[in-house]
Amino acid sequence: MTGHPVFLEETGSAAGRRHRGQRRPGVPGPGVRRSGLLPAVAAALAFMLAACTPAGDGWTPPPADVAGIQVVAVFPLANDTAQAGLEDELAARLLAGLHAVGWYEVVPMEAVAEQLARRRPSSLWNIDDETLLELARDIALELGADGFIVGRITGYDESVRVGAPSRTPSGGGAPGEAPGETMEWFVVQTTEVSVELEARLVNAHTGDIVHQRRAVGVGRVDDGRLLNWSLAAEPPASLIPSPHRRDVARARELAVEDALAAFAEPILPRFHPEPDAGPAGSRPGEGATSGLTAPDNGGETDADP
């Protein structure tokens, strides 16, 4: 099977005067990385192409038994964390991703919200509450959905840390200065966010749970920052920059994507390139993405029951 994730590792650097926070060649630039993820699988390529490519030759149905489920409704996620609004972000991205893949039709979130407001269910949404599950099933059927997704965010964590100073040979930038003659010191700040999600897809016609998974998504951003110090001795603590939170939003975005990808992978179709189809990048819809990419490697998940 062939595929690759939408978000590849990004790195960069900027040359310039030496001062705190400046990056130069040889110093790690701002990098976006996802750690602990599954190897790329065919679904990743499907996510990239399906937004503009109808299912046909080379496509196989999702691994989960989603027979008869053509229209999906996504209900508001419960949020067991202190991150207000995180539940809306995950639900919106999940719905948009399912729609972009093209295998399902989706019910607009506004329609679901309107039905919930009219029926006034308990504000404490518990995916294990049979009464609320029956309510969700009734609403899904009324809205013309064959299946519905309910879930909750069970964990959120973030960390921002600045590593120990490191040095790299530099030089050659001034007249008479040979390459490697001086030392440049830098530190790398690592911003990491993890999001834990538990969700299930239910067949609205039968009430059966066709897919359930607990997934932990991780997003990581590394930012290399050059220090104003060129001596061989380690720079004093006063030159180490304080941690900043500018990369938290990006790391959180990657963690959300990772968690949703781990949950959704079994309910999305697989793409298998035909031998004479040419490179995947030459197919229609090149570059289109769903926002749900298959995990790259070993992301923590609990398999379907």
Side-chain angles (χ1 to χ4, degrees), residues 56-136:
D57 291 340
W59 291 84
T60 58
D65 182 11
V66 296
I69 300 180
Q70 297 179 334
V71 182
V72 176
V74 176
F75 282 81
L77 302 176
N79 188 355
D80 297 342
T81 76
Q83 296 295 310
L86 184 59
E87 68 279 13
D88 297 330
E89 181 181 350
L90 265 78
R93 294 196 64 179
L94 176 58
L95 192 73
L98 291 174
H99 174 71
V101 167
W103 191 263
Y104 305 99
E105 295 180 44
V106 298
V107 176
M109 294 188 66
E110 295 78 10
V112 174
E114 181 179 345
Q115 288 292 324
L116 286 173
R118 183 168 64 84
R119 303 192 185 207
R120 298 181 180 177
S122 168
S123 59
L124 300 177
W125 188 268
N126 187 339
I127 65 174
D128 297 318
D129 188 318
E130 292 297 331
T131 301
L132 289 178
L133 285 176
E134 282 301 315
L135 173 63

Side-chain angles (χ1 to χ4, degrees), residues 164-182:
S166 300
R167 60 185 180 180
T168 180
S170 182
E177 186 181 71
E181 187 174 303
T182 62

Side-chain angles (χ1 to χ4, degrees), residues 121-186:
S122 168
S123 59
L124 300 177
W125 188 268
N126 187 339
I127 65 174
D128 297 318
D129 188 318
E130 292 297 331
T131 301
L132 289 178
L133 285 176
E134 282 301 315
L135 173 63
R137 183 180 176 186
D138 290 343
I139 291 176
L141 290 171
E142 185 171 331
L143 294 173
D146 305 302
F148 62 93
I149 293 175
V150 293
R152 61 172 165 243
I153 303 168
T154 57
Y156 177 91
D157 187 51
E158 62 183 46
S159 66
V160 179
R161 59 188 182 275
V162 176
S166 300
R167 60 185 180 180
T168 180
S170 182
E177 186 181 71
E181 187 174 303
T182 62
M183 289 289 178
E184 287 193 329
W185 289 83
F186 64 93

